Amino acid sequence: MPIRWSGRDLQTLSAAAMSALLLTSAAKHFREPEFFHPVVPDILCRDDSGEQPNGPLAVLSREEWVAASGLLEAAAAVGLLIPATRRAAAGSVTALFTAFLSGHVDALRKACGPEGTPRRRRVHTLRLPLQAPLIAWAWTLTRRNRRP
């Protein structure tokens, strides 16, 4: 007899898988923060050296942005596992992944510039298009499933 999965069961499984992905990514933010440095646009990064003026959006250092996004990913991962907070967490993840698009575009632009390397071009060429399915996946978790 085949197993029948309800819409709610599938959504719970999908939320758990996304949660695992987010927790893995959040851990990497703290284990290897330099992996995420290129994805933080310079315009957001505060420069405390005094060599250049900080713009109005430069409220955190690059390291602080990476840590903050890691914490947000971890919090969203937990929120996805709790049915009562799943829709809100999924909406937040959708917004987070959408906001990350600008960082991925900026990283690819830099990787293709004079300072870029072939490895960085490959990495960022792969990372940017991955955002679309991640955004779509997160968005599917915002839907309310009817009972079976």
Side-chain angles (χ1 to χ4, degrees):
M1 176 191 238
I3 297 174
R4 293 194 181 175
W5 292 80
S6 71
R8 177 177 282 174
D9 293 336
L10 289 173
Q11 188 180 55
T12 298
L13 181 62
S14 182
M18 177 160 282
S19 179
L21 177 79
L22 287 168
L23 285 173
T24 301
S25 176
K28 188 173 178 99
H29 277 74
F30 298 99
R31 272 194 330 271
E32 291 181 61
E34 62 281 349
F35 178 79
F36 298 95
H37 285 183
V39 184
V40 182
D42 293 337
I43 194 167
L44 296 178
C45 298
R46 186 184 68 233
D47 179 12
D48 294 332
S49 70
E51 293 178 19
Q52 55 187 341
N54 290 315
L57 300 176
V59 294
L60 299 174
S61 69
R62 190 172 309 277
E63 293 76 16
E64 291 167 338
W65 278 114
V66 170
S69 63
L71 289 173
L72 286 172
E73 286 184 1
V78 172
L80 288 172
L81 295 175
I82 302 168
T85 60
R86 181 170 298 145
R87 289 183 71 213
S92 297
V93 172
T94 302
L96 197 61
F97 285 156
T98 302
F100 290 167
L101 276 173
S102 64
H104 286 286
V105 168
D106 188 54
L108 181 59
R109 182 188 57 80
K110 287 180 192 171
C112 292
E115 309 252 336
T117 64
R119 182 181 182 284
R120 285 180 60 202
R121 279 190 287 281
R122 273 193 310 277
V123 166
H124 295 295
T125 299
L126 292 172
R127 282 175 86 175
L128 177 60
L130 279 175
Q131 295 309 297
L134 288 172
I135 292 166
W137 182 14
W139 181 252
T140 67
L141 295 174
T142 65
R143 292 191 222 132
R144 212 181 276 282
N145 277 314
R146 294 185 191 100
R147 294 188 184 251

